[in-house]
């Protein structure tokens, strides 16, 4: 497992709805993220789940085969299994080649599964005292396992719980006559829901892993950007501004809008100019760190950047990578109690050269120094992954000050004079 896989944050931290910057990933990157998430969290995962589903269905089929000889006259598990076989064939045909099961297919599948469940329950009524239990019904619930990997998991889980509840009620109703064999009926009911629950847990964890890994991969592109550059969100906005300005100038050049500009066109031109000036002014201090936080669907919920001078842009690639990974690890910590305050991280960047112009070893320092401070609330320092401190070693010398419900990290960063002069360090340089 890579260090980034260990750094993925959980979903239990509530979203800060009062945050000034609301995350909105550009359309193209959002589409690419959804495609990758669907491919890796859909068919490939469903293939492994399907193998487990087939094994469970075969086990229930062998169980039904063993019970066939002791069924009372007029009772037969065959019709339920025939109906289940037809439903299985139809489900395979309907979902073949799909990375996500549509709602109408899922609804039709649930209605179809009700038929073998009803036939199986009707065939095993008042037979638990003979050792006869439903077999097709729990097998029908097992068919929901691959479905949970191909769509949201709440629907398949609710359907499996419903089937298990029907089997449990049937077993408990027969308890006075069945005696100790009621335990077998309860176990059959549990066998209908436990595999689906395990699959739901695995699928949710895998999707969460893929989502965090993908988000971190997209955000890491900011590490190699120049000192002052626009991010994905700003790039899309600039593209829209460019298109609107070009359309306005084209209308003027073609004579569709007369000169001097009418009030409506003049107001439109003024709005475009104002938005462009705002974006250009923000670009002077919008560093890679601000873009990384803003454009991350997960960091934007927990991290706030206070860097009015854009000093984070002076960091080299290795320092940027360490700082981003440290933020990711800190922001990914789980709260120990539901009543604990939400996790928040305030990152402050300030110039420190005037405070301590020379390093502690007595040698003359030929660059600059900036101070970066993490003010963390909602998690204690001892609960933070040890890899956080290893990542901060790449940023600079750091001191940790523990608090009651949080901690503070003071980082002293040494900056390459070339970065200070405005020449960016080549990506990948140490």
């Amino acid at each position: 497992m890579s260090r980034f896989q260990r750094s993925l944050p959980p979903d239990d931290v509530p979203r800060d709805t009062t945050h000034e910057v609301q995350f909105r990933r550009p359309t193209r990157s959002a589409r690419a993220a959804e495609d990758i998430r669907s491919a890796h969290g859909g068919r490939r995962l469903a293939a492994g789940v399907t193998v487990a589903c087939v094994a469970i269905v075969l086990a229930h089929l062998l169980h039904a085969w063993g019970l066939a000889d002791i069924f009372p006259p007029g009772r037969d598990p065959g019709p339920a299994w025939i109906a289940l076989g037809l439903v299985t064939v139809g489900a395979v045909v309907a979902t073949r080649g799909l990375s996500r099961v549509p709602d109408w297919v899922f609804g039709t599948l649930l209605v179809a599964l009700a038929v073998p469940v009803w036939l199986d329950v009707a065939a095993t009524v008042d037979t638990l005292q003979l050792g006869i239990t439903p077999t097709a019904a729990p097998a029908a619930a097992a068919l929901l396992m691959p479905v949970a990997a191909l769509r949201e998991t709440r629907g398949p889980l609710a359907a499996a719980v419903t089937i298990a509840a029907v089997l449990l009620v049937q077993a408990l109703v027969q308890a006075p006559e069945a005696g100790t064999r009621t335990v077998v009926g309860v176990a059959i009911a549990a066998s209908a829901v436990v595999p689906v629950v395990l699959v739901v847990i695995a699928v949710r964890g895998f999707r969460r892993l893929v989502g965090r890994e993908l988000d971190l991969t997209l955000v890491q592109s900011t590490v190699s950007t120049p000192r002052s550059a626009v991010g994905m969100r700003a790039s899309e906005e600039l593209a829209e501004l460019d298109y609107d300005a070009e359309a306005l100038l084209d209308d003027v050049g073609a004579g569709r809008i007369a000169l001097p500009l009418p009030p409506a066109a003049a107001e439109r031109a003024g709005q475009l100019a104002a938005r462009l000036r705002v974006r250009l002014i923000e670009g002077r201090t919008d560093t890679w760190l601000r873009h990384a936080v803003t454009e991350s669907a997960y960091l934007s919920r927990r991290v706030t950047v206070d860097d009015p001078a854009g000093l984070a842009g002076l960091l080299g690639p290795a320092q940027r990578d360490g700082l981003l990974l440290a933020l990711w690890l800190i922001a990914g910590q789980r709260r120990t109690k539901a009543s604990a305050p939400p996790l928040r991280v305030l990152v402050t960047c300030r110039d420190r050269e005037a405070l301590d112009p020379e390093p502690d070893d007595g040698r003359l320092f030929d660059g600059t120094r900036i101070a970066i401070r993490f003010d963390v609330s909602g998690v204690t320092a001892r609960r933070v992954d040890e890899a956080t401190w290893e990542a901060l070693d790449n940023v600079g010398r750091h001191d940790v000050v523990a608090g009651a419900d949080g901690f503070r990290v003071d980082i002293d960063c040494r900056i390459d004079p070339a970065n200070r002069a405005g020449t960016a360090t080549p990506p990948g340089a140490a």
Side-chain angles (χ1 to χ4, degrees), residues 24-45:
R24 182 180 67 86
R25 190 178 295 286
T27 305
R28 287 174 295 179
S29 61
R31 188 183 301 115
E34 183 61 30
D35 291 343
I36 294 175
R37 187 178 295 111
S38 298
H40 289 275
R43 288 185 298 174
R44 295 187 180 184
L45 182 60

Side-chain angles (χ1 to χ4, degrees), residues 241 248 261 263-277:
L241 287 174
L248 179 61
L261 295 178
E267 182 180 0
R268 178 185 171 192
Q271 291 176 349
L272 290 176
R275 290 172 58 191
L276 182 58
R277 283 195 299 269

Side-chain angles (χ1 to χ4, degrees), residues 124-132 169-183:
T124 56
V125 170
D126 296 330
T127 58
L128 186 57
Q129 66 272 17
L130 301 177
I132 299 175
V169 170
Q170 183 192 34
L172 295 180
V173 168
Q174 301 178 73
E177 296 82 13
T180 57
R181 290 183 174 177
T182 305
V183 177

Side-chain angles (χ1 to χ4, degrees), residues 44-336:
R44 295 187 180 184
L45 182 60
V49 175
T50 301
V51 174
C53 169
V54 171
I56 294 175
V57 171
L58 289 178
H60 286 298
L61 181 59
L62 292 176
H63 186 200
W65 184 274
L67 296 176
D69 294 337
I70 62 175
F71 265 85
R75 305 285 186 91
D76 186 5
W81 276 99
I82 293 174
L84 181 60
L86 294 176
V87 173
T88 303
V89 173
V92 171
V93 172
T95 59
R96 184 177 182 181
L98 297 179
S99 61
R100 182 174 180 84
V101 176
D103 291 340
W104 70 269
V105 174
F106 179 63
T108 304
L109 177 62
L110 293 183
V111 174
L113 285 178
V115 176
V117 171
W118 178 76
L119 291 175
D120 196 32
V121 170
T124 56
V125 170
D126 296 330
T127 58
L128 186 57
Q129 66 272 17
L130 301 177
I132 299 175
T133 60
T135 53
L143 290 181
L144 296 169
M145 294 165 58
V147 178
L150 294 175
R151 59 172 289 116
E152 55 87 19
T153 56
R154 288 176 295 180
L157 180 59
V161 170
T162 302
I163 295 175
V166 171
L167 299 180
L168 179 62
V169 170
Q170 183 192 34
L172 295 180
V173 168
Q174 301 178 73
E177 296 82 13
T180 57
R181 290 183 174 177
T182 305
V183 177
V184 179
V186 173
I188 291 295
S191 69
V193 67
V194 171
V196 180
V197 171
L198 295 178
V199 168
V200 166
I201 294 174
V203 168
R204 288 180 177 177
F206 185 78
R207 288 176 179 171
R208 189 161 53 245
L209 176 69
V210 171
R212 305 307 191 276
E213 185 77 9
L214 177 61
D215 188 81
L216 179 58
T217 301
L218 292 174
V219 171
Q220 274 192 309
S221 63
T222 62
V223 171
S224 59
T225 58
R227 175 179 177 181
S228 298
V230 296
M232 290 186 296
R233 192 164 58 94
S235 296
E236 190 170 85
E237 183 179 352
L238 285 174
E240 294 175 356
L241 287 174
D242 179 71
Y243 177 80
D244 293 341
E246 184 178 353
L248 179 61
L249 293 175
D250 183 66
D251 290 339
V252 173
R256 289 187 292 269
I257 298 179
L259 292 176
L261 295 178
E267 182 180 0
R268 178 185 171 192
Q271 291 176 349
L272 290 176
R275 290 172 58 191
L276 182 58
R277 283 195 299 269
V278 169
R279 177 52 59 192
L280 292 177
I281 292 173
E282 289 179 349
R284 297 177 181 177
T285 58
D286 267 3
T287 63
W288 68 273
L289 180 59
R290 194 182 300 275
H291 297 321
V293 171
T294 302
E295 294 166 2
S296 169
Y298 307 103
L299 290 181
S300 60
R301 303 175 182 179
R302 308 165 179 89
V303 180
T304 303
V305 178
D306 179 16
D307 185 14
L311 297 178
L314 301 175
L315 299 178
Q319 292 174 310
R320 295 182 181 187
D321 184 72
L323 185 61
L324 179 60
L325 179 57
L327 279 176
W328 203 269
L329 290 167
I330 294 174
Q333 299 301 314
R334 293 180 180 272
R335 293 180 297 170
T336 55

